[in-house]
Amino acid sequence: MTLKIWRQPDAASKGAMQTYELDGVSQDMSFLEMLDVLNEDLIAKGEDPVAFDSDCREGICGMCGLMINGQAHGPEVTTTCQLHMRSFKDGDEIVVEPWRADAFPVVKDLVVDRGAFDRIIQAGGFISVNTGSAPEAHSVPVPRDDATRAFNVATCIGCGACVAACPNGSASLFMGAKITHLGELPQGQPERDSRVVGMVAQHDAEGFGGCTNIGECTAACPKEIPLDVISRLNWDLHAALRHGH
C-alpha cells in the first residue's frame, strides 16, 4: 500500500504530506494496527514514528480520530480502530490526515488537541443531585421512551468526527447529544437553561462554526447520533433566552 500521511513536528511548525510504501498488510489488521506496522518499520530505520491517538481500540473511547481519504474515520461508519484493512484493496493509495478543524489544533502529526470538547462540557456545569448511596430505583420515575432516548444519545464518545466532517467545523451534534442526554431526564431539569447557554457560549468562543443542517456530522458519527439533537439544542437555547438567561 502507498500511504500519504500528514507529518508535522509540533503546533508551531509547518506540516507536509509524506509518502510511505508498506508491504505485508493483512486484511484482518485494523487501521491502527497497520499504522503500528508502519511505525515499527520507521523505528527500525531510525526514523521518527508517526504520532497518532489511540487508547481502548474497542470503539469506546473516541481517541482514534483520523481523516482517511477525506472521510472522518474512513469509508465505514465506525471508529478508526474498528476499521479493518479489508475495506481497502491491494495497491491502494491511502491519504491520512488529522481532524480538520481550527478548534482542534494539531499537536504532532495526526494528533490534535480536543480539549475544546472538555471545556464545552465544563461550561455546562453540574446537575443538582445528591451523592451517596444509590437511590431507590422508582424514587424518580422516568418514562421509558425518555430513558431510551437519553441512553441512545449518551453513547456519543466525543471523538470529533462530526466536527471534522462538517464543512463549517461545527460541534453542534456533539453539543446537542450532551444537552439532549440530560434534557430528557428529571435530574437534568434544574440547570437546563444555564447549561445550554453556557455550552453554546463556550462552543462559539472555541472557534467552532455554526450549524447549517448539511448532515455530514450524523453521516460520519460512529455512534449514529441523530441530527434532531441539534433541533433539541436550538429549542432549549431559545427557551433559555426567553427565560432571561
Side-chain angles (χ1 to χ4, degrees):
M1 293 191 146
T2 300
L3 301 173
K4 292 189 173 181
I5 299 179
W6 182 260
R7 303 302 307 266
Q8 184 171 337
D10 52 59
S13 303
K14 289 185 177 180
M17 302 298 293
Q18 291 192 17
T19 302
Y20 303 96
E21 301 293 334
L22 189 62
D23 295 324
V25 176
S26 166
Q27 64 177 0
D28 295 323
M29 288 180 179
S30 73
F31 198 87
L32 296 188
E33 288 171 336
M34 180 273 295
L35 291 179
D36 288 338
V37 171
L38 171 65
N39 279 344
E40 288 173 1
D41 289 349
L42 292 176
I43 292 170
K45 296 174 183 176
E47 299 179 28
D48 190 30
V50 177
F52 62 90
D53 268 331
S54 71
D55 191 359
C56 73
R57 299 204 178 196
E58 294 180 352
I60 298 171
C61 72
M63 288 292 291
C64 59
L66 297 175
M67 295 296 292
I68 303 169
N69 288 342
Q71 294 177 278
H73 289 306
E76 309 290 341
V77 183
T78 187
T79 54
T80 303
C81 65
Q82 295 298 297
L83 176 69
H84 288 81
M85 297 311 295
R86 53 181 168 266
S87 297
F88 303 92
K89 300 184 186 70
D90 184 38
D92 272 358
E93 179 179 278
I94 304 175
V95 179
V96 190
E97 303 166 86
W99 278 160
R100 300 169 175 173
D102 286 345
F104 293 156
V106 172
V107 176
K108 182 179 180 181
D109 296 339
L110 305 176
V111 178
V112 299
D113 180 359
R114 281 172 283 191
F117 271 9
D118 296 327
R119 292 187 289 274
I120 289 174
I121 294 295
Q122 290 166 358
F126 301 93
I127 59 172
S128 295
V129 295
N130 294 324
T131 59
S133 59
E136 204 282 323
H138 299 291
S139 61
V140 182
V142 181
R144 182 180 182 278
D145 289 346
D146 292 349
T148 298
R149 179 161 167 77
F151 178 82
N152 288 340
V153 298
T155 59
C156 168
I157 55 177
C159 66
C162 52
V163 177
C166 176
N168 305 326
S170 173
S172 293
L173 192 76
F174 163 79
M175 191 164 51
K178 302 306 179 185
I179 286 170
T180 302
H181 168 211
L182 291 174
E184 293 286 350
L185 300 175
Q187 296 90 336
Q189 301 312 307
E191 290 83 18
R192 184 169 173 173
D193 287 351
S194 60
R195 179 185 307 116
V196 66
V197 170
M199 291 177 75
V200 169
Q202 188 64 40
H203 170 278
D204 295 347
E206 295 289 347
F208 292 104
C211 173
T212 51
N213 287 312
I214 294 172
E216 291 290 338
C217 54
T218 189
C221 176
K223 299 303 177 182
E224 300 181 332
I225 302 298
L227 193 63
D228 64 3
V229 299
I230 300 177
S231 299
R232 175 59 181 268
L233 160 66
N234 291 330
W235 178 276
D236 278 13
L237 178 60
H238 289 303
L241 295 177
R242 288 197 305 271
H243 298 157
H245 282 269

